[in-house]
Amino acid sequence: MTDPSIWGIMAQKGYSRRDFLQFCTYAAALSGLQSNAVAEVAQQFTTKPRPPVVWLHFQECTCCSESFIRASHPIVADVLLDTLSLDYTETLQAAAGHQAEACLHETMRDHHGDYILLVEGSVPMSADGVYCTIGGRSAEDILKEAAEGAAAIVAWGSCASNGCIQAARPNPTNATPIHKILNRPVINVPGCPPIADVMTGVVTHLLVYGRAPELDSRGRPRSFYGRRVHDTCYRRPYYDAGLFVASWDDENARRGYCLYKMGCRGPVTYNACGVTKWNEGTSFPIQSGHGCIGCSEAGFWDNGPFYQHLAAFPGFGIEATADKVGTVATVATAGALGAHAVWTNVRKHKAIKATIDESVNVTSDS
Amino acid sequence: MSITLTSPSYKRIYVWEIPVRLFHWLNAASLIVLMATGYLIGHPATLSHSAEAYQQYWFGNVRFIHFVAGYVFMLNLLIRFYWGLVGNRYARLRTFFPKTKAEIRELWEVLRVDIFEFDRTAHPTVGHNQLASLSYLILFVFSVFQIATGFGLYAAMSDGWVASLFGWVVPVLGGDGATRVWHHGAMWFFVLFTLVHIYIVAYHDYVEGRGTTSSMVGGWKFEREDVLDRKD
């Protein structure tokens, strides 16, 4: 018995063909496809059996799952959660304990080479992985086993993509992003959490084309992570004009000027927040008057404080920026040079005097 | 007490060729522009203006000047590296690396005589002294680092192939944010270097009286004949 297609399951559930095509259009748009690709999406969703999906949870806070179930289009969530049916996800599945483990192994066995593996959370590598175990097995073990038969692997969120908060200094559990553990390509979808529509966009692309979307050098889908938040920010004109907010309660903040001086990480963060926005396109941090904290960038937690343009200088406490250290060094150097100048006149007095004495006296008539 | 009655005779030596002098001043000018605009980019002034954004573009202009000066800085350095292969003995790249025993001895000698002043005499050299050479080697290393991090950051906003050559630098340093901190922090090296460099040039001119400062304009330095005889 082959599994029904996505359309087959939707039809069972009572969705009309119109609803389905609407969903296909939406899914195509989310994946960054052109409008003429809608037919292909509909074709794939009608004929292809739904791919099994395994969603693993390791060191994470479940914000990725929370984000995902709030995808803009209700059918998107419905399809991906009910219809697409996650075969294994600890947070959302009904089964628990041995039942859940059996379900996971059944999927991995029956669909070996076919299932999509979604991983939420980083993997602790120190102390043989005791910091995260499920059913008595370490996260590393589970991940490697599940990755072996996966058709595609997606790292959900900053934890799985770059370690996020638990990998922040001093990283006691040696939390490690999964692409550093697995010896095969991983689609990184960073963000804390990633934007729901970006997540569904990536999954849709995998379903429709059966392969990963175009990725950048850090394994992120180019269509969502190709530009900086800064480049698509509606406050960008204020940046170029040099109109900045200087404190949270000033007139410039009220006017909605650029939050660059308030530590906004938009210029150094690659994400689609300015375009896709959050919660059905309602808003994104900068639109709400708060700077970007760069949550989709590697090591963002260590590049704080968030409300300061320049990060703390390592080794000198969070108050010390490179500029404070540099200013002290400059003043100290200037002082040392002044002292050297005085000392030169003491130590080299004879040598200088001898040089002056060497000077030839030129008389006016000679 | 012996008094020298005859003043020693000096020989004029053409030390710095035109490309070296041009490099020096273009480098100095671009560095000053880069430091000033770079500092402004890190700490923009807050203008409270009722003007609409379209009426001004000063921050965009500051960034533009920084990028242009970055290109000048890089090309200038490349030309200097080339001249380090074909220029005279004082311009050669190998003079920047202390290798031989004599060169390393001179390094200590300069520290002893000119920096810590344990010695009361003066200690002139014709070209760069070994300690100066070492400081320029460090300057070159920092320059290359600034070029790599600067163009690495610029790659995100530039279609040019030059910037894209340095795109790999950003992930190595841990993202744009970390790269920006490195780029900004390394700027302070140039501030310290400039201070020390100007002071030391003045020091040599003051103690030795051989035209050290003006040599970077005209190219000429002066050396006592007896010292030259001893060296050759």
Side-chain angles (χ1 to χ4, degrees):
Chain A
M1 189 196 86
T2 55
D3 291 320
S5 67
I6 288 174
W7 161 240
I9 299 170
M10 284 179 74
Q12 267 174 22
K13 290 198 152 202
Y15 283 110
S16 68
R17 182 74 185 170
R18 178 178 288 267
D19 289 334
F20 171 69
L21 289 175
Q22 201 180 42
F23 160 69
C24 291
T25 311
Y26 204 84
L30 279 178
S31 317
L33 303 175
Q34 292 174 21
S35 57
N36 60 9
V38 175
E40 193 173 351
V41 174
Q43 162 84 5
Q44 296 288 341
F45 283 180
T46 307
T47 55
K48 257 195 195 167
R50 70 148 183 85
V53 175
V54 171
W55 186 316
L56 296 177
H57 296 255
F58 298 130
Q59 287 181 301
E60 44 92 339
C61 71
T62 315
C63 75
C64 302
S65 300
E66 288 287 343
S67 176
F68 187 66
I69 60 177
R70 282 162 185 76
S72 297
H73 201 288
I75 302 180
V76 175
D78 209 4
V79 164
L80 293 176
L81 292 172
D82 301 344
T83 317
L84 189 98
S85 167
L86 302 167
D87 292 78
Y88 178 84
T89 174
E90 292 98 332
T91 320
L92 298 168
Q93 69 193 359
H98 292 299
Q99 259 188 330
E101 293 303 309
C103 180
L104 170 64
H105 284 100
E106 197 181 299
T107 305
M108 293 197 308
R109 189 187 62 231
D110 295 349
H111 300 281
H112 193 270
D114 291 331
Y115 60 88
I116 296 173
L117 177 65
L118 310 174
V119 182
E120 184 175 350
S122 57
V123 175
M125 298 296 279
S126 65
D128 291 330
V130 294
Y131 297 106
C132 181
T133 62
I134 299 161
R137 297 177 60 205
S138 73
E140 186 191 355
D141 257 7
I142 299 169
L143 173 68
K144 280 183 171 161
E145 189 192 11
E148 199 267 317
I153 303 170
V154 179
W156 271 165
S158 289
C159 296
S161 304
N162 51 43
C164 203
I165 292 165
Q166 53 278 15
R169 278 189 292 270
N171 191 0
T173 67
N174 191 16
T176 308
I178 64 166
H179 67 87
K180 288 194 178 161
I181 297 170
L182 300 175
N183 204 10
R184 50 177 293 185
V186 172
I187 303 168
N188 285 326
V189 186
C192 190
I195 304 168
D197 296 331
V198 169
M199 299 171 82
T200 51
V202 171
V203 171
T204 305
H205 196 286
L206 282 172
L207 296 181
V208 173
Y209 289 105
R211 57 180 152 79
E214 191 194 353
L215 304 176
D216 67 10
S217 62
R218 274 167 272 182
R220 304 174 297 194
R222 267 190 204 282
S223 44
F224 302 111
Y225 296 93
R227 281 182 294 173
R228 301 172 299 161
V229 172
H230 192 55
D231 297 326
T232 53
C233 180
Y234 76 104
R235 297 194 186 198
R236 176 65 192 258
Y238 293 120
Y239 171 84
D240 291 321
L243 294 168
F244 300 107
V245 174
S247 84
W248 293 112
D249 54 357
D250 69 1
E251 178 64 15
N252 290 357
R254 202 184 64 77
R255 287 193 180 129
Y257 285 171
C258 176
L259 295 165
Y260 179 73
K261 279 168 79 87
M262 304 309 294
C264 179
R265 300 289 193 264
V268 291
T269 304
Y270 294 78
N271 210 333
C273 300
V275 179
T276 313
K277 301 191 181 175
W278 293 75
N279 300 320
E280 301 181 34
T282 306
S283 182
F284 71 113
I286 296 165
Q287 193 175 340
S288 310
H290 189 286
C292 166
I293 63 170
C295 73
S296 56
E297 285 295 306
F300 83 98
W301 202 255
D302 289 327
N303 288 335
F306 292 142
Y307 302 108
Q308 187 173 297
H309 171 70
L310 205 58
F313 196 81
F316 290 84
I318 59 163
E319 292 292 316
T321 63
D323 285 342
K324 283 183 185 159
V325 175
T327 307
V328 170
T330 303
V331 170
T333 305
L337 295 179
H340 193 273
V342 172
W343 190 231
T344 297
N345 282 300
V346 175
R347 290 293 287 177
K348 306 278 185 188
H349 179 72
K350 268 190 188 164
I352 295 165
K353 186 152 186 309
T355 315
I356 292 170
D357 290 343
E358 278 173 18
S359 176
V360 182
N361 274 324
V362 180
T363 49
S364 53
D365 55 348
S366 65
Chain B
M1 196 179 178
S2 69
I3 295 166
T4 335
L5 291 174
T6 50
S7 28
S9 42
Y10 279 77
K11 273 219 166 130
R12 193 163 60 180
I13 308 158
Y14 190 56
V15 179
W16 314 126
E17 297 161 293
I18 283 178
V20 175
R21 276 133 62 199
L22 272 180
F23 162 77
H24 176 272
W25 293 112
L26 208 51
N27 195 48
S30 60
L31 268 178
I32 287 166
V33 171
L34 283 166
M35 285 192 277
T37 53
Y39 193 81
L40 265 178
I41 291 169
H43 301 269
T46 308
L47 302 179
S48 285
H49 235 263
S50 60
E52 278 194 62
Y54 82 91
Q55 288 174 326
Q56 54 190 32
Y57 195 73
W58 79 263
F59 197 61
N61 287 333
V62 166
R63 292 173 64 241
F64 177 75
I65 294 167
H66 190 78
F67 301 148
V68 171
Y71 273 106
V72 171
F73 181 69
M74 181 186 64
L75 291 173
N76 193 36
L77 190 67
L78 282 179
I79 293 168
R80 180 65 183 85
F81 285 160
Y82 167 73
W83 198 254
L85 302 174
V86 299
N88 70 13
R89 57 186 291 192
Y90 307 107
R92 294 283 166 149
L93 287 181
R94 54 185 190 78
T95 64
F96 295 106
F97 299 91
K99 300 168 301 293
T100 64
K101 263 195 179 148
E103 285 166 344
I104 290 165
R105 205 182 314 120
E106 196 204 286
L107 190 70
W108 291 113
E109 192 65 9
V110 177
L111 275 175
R112 196 174 69 80
V113 176
D114 293 316
I115 304 303
F116 297 112
E117 305 188 289
F118 295 134
D119 197 308
R120 288 171 179 276
T121 61
H123 173 84
T125 25
V126 179
H128 293 135
N129 72 49
Q130 286 298 326
L131 187 66
S133 298
L134 195 62
S135 79
Y136 304 141
L137 182 65
I138 298 169
L139 177 77
F140 289 151
V141 170
F142 269 87
S143 300
V144 170
F145 180 79
Q146 288 301 72
I147 288 166
T149 51
F151 277 98
L153 285 168
Y154 187 49
M157 37 197 133
S158 164
D159 286 333
W161 61 271
V162 175
S164 66
L165 285 180
F166 296 96
W168 57 273
V169 176
V170 172
V172 168
L173 290 176
D176 288 51
T179 309
R180 180 165 81 183
V181 173
W182 280 106
H183 189 68
H184 191 120
M187 180 269 287
W188 284 99
F189 167 80
F190 294 90
V191 175
L192 297 181
F193 177 89
T194 307
L195 261 183
V196 174
H197 178 71
I198 292 172
Y199 170 78
I200 291 288
V201 169
Y203 163 88
H204 280 292
D205 227 351
Y206 180 66
V207 173
E208 296 162 9
R210 298 184 305 132
T212 311
T213 316
S214 67
S215 72
M216 205 33 89
V217 178
W220 302 99
K221 268 193 181 180
F222 300 89
E223 187 56 279
R224 280 165 62 157
E225 271 183 336
D226 53 330
V227 174
L228 277 177
D229 290 345
R230 226 183 302 142
K231 281 192 173 166
D232 294 335

